[in-house]
């Protein structure tokens, strides 16, 4: 059983959405009535030229390229009544993706939005209400953070979150691989790679999630609206007809006196989607198939398992495994239908650099046979399509070193190696080098 009294808790291992650490009653912080936080993140990446037997309409360009992204977010929170928290986040983004954001299953910059351009764009990222009904038990401290008011919560509670937010704010909240602003950058390390979660082209949606916490256990379920068209910005508001549903079971535990968390997630999407087999059957001889020509009402189902485990005060490991049925087009996230990932993070206190962190991870992404046949016939998806296909699983290695620049800023160096980009053994491998500057207050 996970208990604050008998576990050496690594505070950095707990979910970022809670940022909570166990505390004695006398250590609990005062309840914040309101707060305001800001963040800014700049990511620059470059890749050298690499070998490619051929190029297609959605290939990663084989010549040298650079790209960048910039985001700045303000987060305002307040308590309108007992148990309630209201948050609003205005945000601005700007960027230039490499290869027009094409040519990879696991994209290399999790801060790179599908709609970013050279002109700064301002919009509302989040506007949501969180209502908590406390049912008793030990209290846990909650630190002041973006979209989080300082205070404490009971071990047994029900939480309802509704409004405009990201589904990944609530689900698959792995503390070691979840935030491209401070952790790994690759898309396949931000969430379950095969989880085609509801989101517009910026990564946000509208909907609601209900959570129940009871000591070591938590269960949550949510429904969110999907984009009106594949990977588009506009959302389809018909939430009872087109939607993304997910349910997750979470258990926190202690292993050899160290904190850990296991999560199991299942999802089901319902939209007008094109099927790969339908597109192949409908294509005229000599003409590349297109999922856009065969869209109809259909569902997509998948699941994922996640583990994070502290190995002491300054080390932790994590792993994810996910898959979806892979019979229809990618609708909102990455062109991944099978994904395995694992990694380790070490805090710099081990070598006398308290503010530093190093992370190393490996990913293996795959596609179903239906999707492979579609690409081999010249089909193109939202992000990939080389015109032909010599299928091999896409393999990614990523390492970063984050240097703390005082309490509120960090500079990270990042390296990613991608073998078989877009699952094509006839192209690559490719190396991507990155620099990230992040500040938060």
């Amino acid at each position: 059983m996970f208990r604050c009294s008998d576990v050496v808790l690594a505070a950095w291992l707990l979910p970022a959405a809670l940022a909570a650490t166990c505390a004695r009653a006398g250590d609990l912080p005062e309840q914040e009535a309101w707060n305001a936080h800001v963040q800014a993140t700049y990511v620059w990446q470059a890749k050298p030229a690499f070998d490619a037997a051929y190029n297609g309409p959605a290939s990663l360009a084989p010549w040298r390229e650079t790209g960048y992204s910039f985001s700045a977010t303000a987060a305002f929170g307040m308590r309108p009544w007992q148990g309630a928290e209201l948050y609003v986040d205005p945000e601005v983004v700007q960027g230039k993706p490499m290869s027009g954001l094409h040519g990879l299953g696991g994209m290399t910059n999790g801060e790179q939005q599908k709609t970013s351009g050279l002109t700064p764009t301002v919009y509302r990222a989040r506007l949501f209400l969180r209502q908590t009904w406390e049912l008793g038990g030990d209290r846990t401290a909650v630190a002041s953070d973006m979209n989080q008011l300082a205070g404490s919560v009971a071990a047994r509670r029900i939480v309802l979150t509704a409004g405009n937010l990201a589904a990944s704010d609530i689900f698959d909240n792995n503390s070691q691989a979840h935030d491209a602003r401070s952790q790994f950058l690759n898309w396949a390390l931000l969430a379950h790679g095969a989880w085609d979660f509801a989101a517009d082209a910026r990564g946000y949606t509208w909907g609601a999630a209900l959570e129940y916490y009871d000591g070591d256990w938590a269960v949550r379920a949510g429904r969110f609206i999907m984009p009106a068209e594949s990977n588009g910005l506009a959302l389809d508001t018909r939430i009872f007809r087109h939607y993304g549903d997910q349910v997750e079971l979470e258990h926190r535990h202690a292993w050899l006196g160290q904190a850990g968390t296991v999560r199991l997630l299942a999802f089901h999407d319902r939209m007008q989607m094109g099927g790969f087999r339908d597109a192949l059957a409908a294509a005229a001889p000599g003409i590349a198939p297109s999922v856009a020509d065969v869209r109809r009402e259909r569902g997509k189902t998948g699941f994922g398992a996640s583990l994070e485990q502290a190995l002491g005060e300054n080390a932790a490991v994590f792993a994810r495994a996910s898959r979806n049925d892979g019979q229809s087009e990618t609708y909102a996230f990455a062109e991944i239908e099978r994904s395995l990932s694992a990694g380790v993070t070490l805090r710099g206190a081990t070598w006398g650099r308290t503010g530093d962190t190093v992370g190393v991870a490996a990913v293996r992404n795959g596609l179903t046979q239906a999707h492979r046949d579609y690409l081999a016939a010249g089909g193109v998806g939202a992000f990939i399509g080389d015109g032909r296909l010599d299928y091999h699983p896409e393999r990614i290695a990523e390492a970063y070193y984050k240097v703390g620049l005082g309490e509120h800023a960090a500079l990270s160096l990042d390296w990613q190696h991608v073998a078989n980009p877009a699952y094509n053994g006839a192209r690559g491998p490719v190396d991507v080098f990155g620099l990230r500057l992040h500040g938060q207050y």
Side-chain angles (χ1 to χ4, degrees):
M1 295 283 287
F2 177 93
R3 291 291 181 269
C4 294
S5 58
D6 58 13
V7 174
V8 178
L9 246 182
W12 66 310
L13 183 62
L14 296 180
L18 290 177
T21 58
C22 291
R24 297 182 300 275
D27 295 333
L28 294 175
E30 292 185 10
Q31 189 178 84
E32 269 187 323
W34 66 276
N35 70 10
H37 293 274
V38 294
Q39 78 81 31
T41 307
Y42 176 79
V43 178
W44 178 88
Q45 291 184 318
K47 65 173 181 63
F50 64 92
D51 293 333
Y54 49 83
N55 298 311
S59 291
L60 188 69
W63 49 83
R64 182 185 182 277
E65 280 189 297
T66 62
Y68 77 92
S69 66
F70 171 76
S71 72
T73 314
F76 303 100
M78 62 171 290
R79 298 186 192 271
W81 58 80
Q82 182 64 34
E85 303 161 56
L86 179 65
Y87 298 96
V88 59
D89 295 8
E91 190 165 73
V92 58
V93 297
Q94 180 181 358
K96 183 190 77 171
M98 292 188 292
S99 301
L101 207 61
H102 290 121
L104 292 168
M107 294 292 178
T108 61
N109 182 359
E111 274 284 276
Q112 192 77 67
Q113 296 186 359
K114 302 166 194 173
T115 59
S116 60
L118 299 178
T119 301
T121 302
V122 181
Y123 56 90
R124 184 197 63 247
R126 293 177 177 86
L127 174 60
F128 68 93
L129 178 72
R130 181 186 298 136
Q131 176 68 54
T132 301
W133 294 276
E134 297 195 335
L135 306 177
D138 294 340
R139 302 199 67 79
T140 301
V142 177
S144 181
D145 204 345
M146 298 188 72
N147 302 311
Q148 182 171 281
L149 292 164
S152 62
V153 293
R156 294 182 60 241
R157 62 192 184 277
I158 296 172
V159 181
L160 174 65
T161 305
N164 178 198
L165 69 163
S168 57
D169 289 345
I170 300 173
F171 296 87
D172 189 24
N173 203 347
N174 191 298
S175 67
Q176 304 305 297
H178 189 70
D179 183 5
R181 292 168 179 172
S182 61
Q183 299 168 332
F184 295 95
L185 278 166
N186 195 280
W187 283 23
L189 290 166
L190 302 183
H192 289 300
W195 178 27
D196 198 3
F197 58 86
D200 63 18
R202 295 186 179 121
Y204 304 105
T205 182
W206 286 81
L210 187 66
E211 304 173 83
Y212 172 66
Y213 293 85
D214 190 351
D216 307 338
W217 293 90
V219 61
R220 54 186 64 93
R223 170 168 287 193
F224 301 96
I225 56 178
M226 299 289 285
E229 59 182 40
S230 175
N231 288 280
L233 185 57
L235 291 166
D236 186 336
T237 59
R238 295 171 292 178
I239 195 169
F240 297 107
R241 180 177 178 183
H242 297 149
Y243 50 80
D245 285 346
Q246 40 273 308
V247 60
E248 185 175 61
L249 179 66
E250 173 183 295
H251 182 249
R252 294 193 295 166
H253 62 266
W255 179 69
L256 299 179
Q258 303 296 328
T261 306
V262 176
R263 298 181 183 88
L264 301 176
L265 178 140
F267 76 91
H268 177 74
D269 297 336
R270 187 75 184 174
M271 271 308 300
Q272 290 274 346
M273 295 183 283
F276 300 122
R277 293 296 183 202
D278 292 349
L280 286 164
I287 302 299
S290 173
V291 289
D293 297 335
V294 293
R295 287 182 176 134
R296 62 177 176 82
E297 203 85 11
R298 65 169 71 233
K300 177 185 292 187
T301 301
F303 64 87
S306 170
L307 166 71
E308 52 187 291
Q309 178 65 53
L311 299 179
E313 294 186 12
N314 297 310
V317 295
F318 68 90
R320 282 190 180 102
S322 62
R323 64 185 295 155
N324 65 54
D325 59 43
Q327 300 305 303
S328 56
E329 64 184 306
T330 296
Y331 212 80
F333 188 44
E335 298 251 27
I336 301 171
E337 289 144 6
R338 308 284 187 268
S339 187
L340 293 171
S341 62
V344 59
T345 55
L346 301 171
R347 288 206 297 178
T350 305
W351 55 92
R353 292 279 307 173
T354 305
D356 294 5
T357 305
V358 62
V360 179
V363 182
R364 178 185 172 96
N365 296 325
L367 300 177
T368 60
Q369 189 62 55
H371 200 169
R372 299 179 206 176
D373 294 344
Y374 174 78
L375 294 173
V380 177
F383 303 107
I384 62 176
D386 297 322
R388 288 178 277 168
L389 183 67
D390 175 18
Y391 179 79
H392 288 74
E394 184 181 75
R395 299 195 305 273
I396 303 168
E398 180 174 0
Y400 73 88
Y401 189 98
K402 182 172 67 175
V403 181
L405 303 177
E407 184 179 355
H408 301 293
L411 176 68
S412 300
L413 302 176
D414 186 85
W415 167 75
Q416 297 177 55
H417 177 81
V418 184
N420 311 315
Y423 312 95
N424 200 339
R427 313 186 81 251
V430 59
D431 290 288
V432 178
F433 303 92
L435 182 71
R436 173 181 59 201
L437 181 61
H438 171 69
Q440 185 168 320
Y441 183 81

